Amino acid sequence: GSGRNKKITLSWLKYKWADGYEVYWSYCDGTQEFKKLGTFKKSTLSATHKKLNNKKEYKYYVAAYKMVNGKKILSITGLFLRK
């Protein structure tokens, strides 16, 4: 999404099997490098990214995760692209 409002709130659907979610973001500048916005409990289905640069555009993805034998297994559940 665009940083014009200096913050954006993302929401996603609940996955029954998920132990939680991770949200990642990147600039829409051709880079494939994503930074983690945060890790969220399974009951949390939204996140707000604050202090955005109003001259940049952003992209996000949400990954649901399941803990298996002490390891976090990620599954990408949604990609958010807004201009």
Side-chain angles (χ1 to χ4, degrees):
S2 174
R4 279 174 264 181
N5 294 328
K6 301 210 178 186
K7 70 178 181 178
I8 188 169
T9 299
L10 308 165
S11 60
W12 53 89
L13 298 175
K14 182 176 183 174
Y15 284 78
K16 290 183 180 182
W17 55 265
D19 291 324
Y21 304 91
E22 292 186 350
V23 178
Y24 295 85
W25 70 274
S26 181
Y27 295 115
C28 292
D29 60 3
T31 183
Q32 295 299 317
E33 182 180 334
F34 281 80
K35 298 175 184 175
K36 188 189 289 187
L37 179 62
T39 301
F40 303 91
K41 299 176 185 178
K42 64 182 176 180
S43 60
T44 302
L45 300 176
S46 67
T48 300
H49 191 186
K50 299 177 182 177
K51 299 181 182 177
L52 301 179
N53 181 334
N54 64 358
K55 295 183 180 179
K56 299 270 189 175
E57 290 184 334
Y58 297 78
K59 57 188 173 183
Y60 301 85
Y61 77 85
V62 176
Y65 70 83
K66 178 81 176 164
M67 298 300 293
V68 178
N69 297 325
K71 293 184 179 181
K72 190 181 286 186
I73 308 298
L74 295 175
S75 173
I76 296 175
T77 61
L79 179 63
F80 302 89
L81 294 173
R82 281 193 53 196
K83 295 187 177 198

